[in-house]
Structures are given as C-alpha cells and as structure tokens.
Amino acid sequence: MAKHHFHLQANWPGGRNDVGSIESGQLRTTISIPKEMDGPGIGTNPDEMLLGAAATCYIITLAAMLERSNVKTSSLTMNSEAIVDVKNGVFTYEQIIHRPHIVLKDTSEQLYKKVTRIAEKAESTCMISKAVKGNVIIKLEPVIDMK
C-alpha cells in the first residue's frame, strides 16, 4: 500500500501574539492564539484544528462504516467539543466529545444496537483518534433517532 504525504506551509511573522498563516491543500487560513488563551483570536488555532481533524475524521469514518453496513440514514450531523485545561500556566488538551446525531430511515431494536456498535467502532477506527490515543480522551454521546 502506498504512503500518502501531506504538506503544510506556515508563515509566522514574529512573537507569541502575532498572526500567521497556513496553507495545506484546500486549507488556507490565518492562525493565532485564541482569545481564551490570551491571544489575538484571529483566524483559527491549533485547538480548533485538532478538534476539526478529529471531528471530520470521525464523521467520515462513521458515514463510510454505516454505508458498508447497508444502514440507511435520513441525516447524519454532529456537534463536537474540546476541553482544554490550564494548570500552572500549562495548557493540556484533555478530551474531545463527539455527539453524532444519526437519523435512521427505519429502525428496530436490532438496528439500533448495530448502529450504536458502528458509532463506537468508528471512533476507534478513525486515523486521528488513533493518533491522539493515550494523550486525549475521546468520548462519544451518540443520539440515534428514526425519521
């Protein structure tokens, strides 16, 4: 199997509270430290990008696994949250909580259990989840409904 290489070009003009930029494929944005961490809060930041990477990886993995299992959905949406703690001036990315909302076209107790298992397996299968395992806790709070 071939290895895939991804590249990012970063430009940072100065000190801690400056504003820089990154470009990687279709991603082109300004970056800075978030206001919550006493930065300028312009553009995005590493905390949002890690949350975005984890969320997009999870929802794409979940959608692919549902499709491969022939599970028909009416909609698949998600809200994700990151929790960063600060102790003695040190920031620690503690956890990510994914809250997928899966709306099924039809359901049964058996299908509900199957989709619950798929939602859990998608988290452990996702490449980003595997990359942060042991450093960041990833929790799931799925909601499964029928249209």
Side-chain angles (χ1 to χ4, degrees):
M1 177 160 284
K3 292 185 180 185
H4 301 281
H5 296 258
F6 298 92
H7 300 276
L8 182 138
Q9 178 66 41
N11 177 26
W12 192 262
R16 180 191 187 278
N17 283 333
D18 280 323
V19 177
S21 64
I22 58 170
E23 290 187 21
S24 177
Q26 298 299 311
L27 175 63
R28 291 174 178 80
T29 188
T30 54
I31 56 171
S32 72
I33 295 174
K35 286 187 179 194
E36 297 87 348
M37 297 177 180
D38 298 322
I42 297 172
T44 191
N45 58 70
D47 308 285
E48 291 173 344
M49 288 190 294
L50 181 57
L51 178 60
T56 55
C57 182
Y58 175 75
I59 200 165
I60 291 168
T61 302
L62 175 58
M65 291 177 74
L66 289 168
E67 182 180 296
R68 280 193 302 269
S69 298
N70 295 315
V71 174
K72 305 290 185 215
T73 61
S74 295
S75 74
L76 174 58
T77 58
M78 188 170 71
N79 178 290
S80 293
E81 176 183 2
I83 299 173
V84 176
D85 194 15
V86 60
K87 291 180 183 153
N88 301 320
V90 177
F91 293 95
T92 303
Y93 212 106
E94 286 190 337
Q95 66 179 290
I96 293 171
I97 306 164
H98 294 310
R99 297 178 180 99
H101 184 202
I102 305 163
V103 180
L104 303 171
K105 290 189 176 183
D106 55 54
T107 192
S108 65
E109 184 67 28
Q110 183 180 4
L111 182 59
Y112 181 88
K113 287 179 182 180
K114 177 180 180 178
V115 171
T116 300
R117 283 192 310 273
I118 291 169
E120 291 168 359
K121 186 169 171 81
E123 189 276 316
S124 63
T125 304
C126 164
M127 179 176 64
I128 302 298
S129 295
K130 287 193 244 181
V132 301
K133 188 175 183 172
N135 292 308
V136 178
I137 297 165
I138 298 184
K139 293 184 178 178
L140 291 177
E141 297 176 1
V143 173
I144 302 167
D145 290 322
M146 185 180 132
K147 182 176 180 184

